[in-house]
Amino acid sequence: MTVPDIIIAIDGYSSTGKSSFAKLMAKELGFLYLDSGALYRGVTLFAQEEKFISPSNEINPALEAALQGLDLWFASDNRTFIGERCIEKEIRTMEVSSQVSPIAAVPYVRRFVDAKLHELAGGGRVIMDGRDIGTTVFPNAEIKIFMTAAPEVRAQRRYDELVMKGENPVLEEVQENLRQRDYIDSHRETSPLSRASDAFILDNSNMTISEEVAWVKGLIKGKFNLYDD
Ligand code: DC
């Protein structure tokens, strides 16, 4: 199947498996994958290390000017970097997760990330995941998916992921972090998480990743009248 130069937007709640799915889909279609959450996480790590955010989530407005000098980028294997330093591991810790939502609620941070996504997306053939890709960042994306899954399924997935990475999480804390992030992400003033009216809902509580890929490929085929090669 030869897919045209389109943009695929995957939005949804935390830990619905958006990035694993989007990465696999990108590989299958030969598309570029962009993880917008990694950019918010990168800004959060930067803000923490440079003390622009306090433990009680107070954000120093000087962060806005400092972002102009922040060289945040993705390598071709999707790892996230600040300058020469790979920050892939650091941005996935609970420490970053616990402050990323307040950082992502700041309008100038959102403008910084949106501009970066537009710059990186170029002319299309890109699949992006996040919270507001189909509603705000690329409202004209040709294919929009809104991913969801039962909260207990999501918490367990996130917990397993952290264990795999060698962390020592507490399930209740993971559940609470997800609950808080869902709340802040859906209630913030600037581009809250919401389903675009033209997004297809994908509830993957009981689906395998290959079933998800087959489902979305079916959507693409239907939309563009494509056939298997
Ligand atoms: O997808 P993730 O869990 O890595 O995203 C981390 C945080 O970044 C998430 O809690 C909300 C925020 N985010 C956002 O506000 N908008 C996006 N497009 C992507 C992520």
Side-chain angles (χ1 to χ4, degrees):
M1 147 170 121
T2 310
V3 179
D5 295 352
I6 57 169
I7 290 179
I8 303 178
I10 316 277
D11 288 305
Y13 292 101
S14 300
S15 297
T16 41
K18 295 185 300 293
S19 28
S20 316
F21 168 74
K23 247 183 237 169
L24 183 59
M25 212 47 217
K27 202 166 158 206
E28 297 239 340
L29 299 178
F31 273 34
L32 172 69
Y33 165 62
L34 295 178
D35 176 354
S36 65
L39 297 177
Y40 287 106
R41 288 172 180 274
V43 172
T44 305
L45 180 71
F46 172 71
Q48 287 174 334
E49 291 184 340
E50 301 297 322
K51 308 270 183 283
F52 286 111
I53 185 165
S54 75
S56 56
N57 293 341
E58 273 155 303
I59 298 165
N60 180 339
L63 174 63
E64 181 169 11
L67 287 181
Q68 300 319 309
L70 177 61
D71 179 22
L72 190 55
W73 58 283
F74 295 121
S76 55
D77 60 4
N78 298 318
R79 283 179 309 149
T80 315
F81 281 72
I82 289 181
E84 300 278 285
R85 172 182 168 214
C86 174
I87 54 164
E88 198 50 43
K89 195 156 185 267
E90 292 87 334
I91 60 171
R92 310 288 170 191
T93 58
M94 281 295 278
E95 202 180 341
V96 166
S97 296
S98 67
Q99 290 199 303
V100 65
S101 285
I103 288 281
V106 177
Y108 60 77
V109 171
R110 300 206 72 81
R111 285 197 295 274
F112 171 82
V113 169
D114 291 2
K116 197 137 279 241
L117 290 170
H118 276 271
E119 176 193 316
L120 296 171
R125 295 197 81 71
V126 52
I127 180 160
M128 262 170 269
D129 78 322
R131 303 294 187 291
D132 62 339
I133 307 298
T135 49
T136 306
V137 189
F138 286 97
N140 297 328
E142 286 83 354
I143 298 276
K144 300 181 187 178
I145 312 287
F146 189 81
M147 280 176 81
T148 179
E152 59 279 12
V153 173
R154 297 196 279 130
Q156 190 63 49
R157 283 180 187 158
R158 182 85 189 117
Y159 174 88
D160 294 344
E161 211 176 278
L162 290 166
V163 170
M164 289 269 291
K165 285 181 183 154
E167 286 202 40
N168 200 5
V170 176
L171 186 59
E172 288 70 29
E173 282 175 16
V174 174
Q175 279 167 334
E176 182 53 21
N177 174 254
L178 280 186
R179 205 189 55 72
Q180 280 179 8
R181 283 205 286 151
D182 284 354
Y183 186 85
I184 303 177
D185 295 345
S186 338
H187 289 82
R188 66 174 173 239
E189 226 165 89
T190 315
S191 7
L193 166 66
S194 71
R195 181 176 80 85
S197 55
D198 51 351
F200 293 96
I201 295 179
L202 176 56
D203 181 336
N204 63 19
S205 304
N206 297 304
M207 282 172 95
T208 62
I209 195 160
S210 18
E211 286 170 336
E212 293 175 56
V213 169
W215 188 83
V216 174
K217 276 188 173 171
L219 280 183
I220 300 175
K221 278 187 201 169
K223 173 147 182 156
F224 297 103
N225 285 318
L226 304 175
Y227 298 93
D228 286 324
D229 297 327

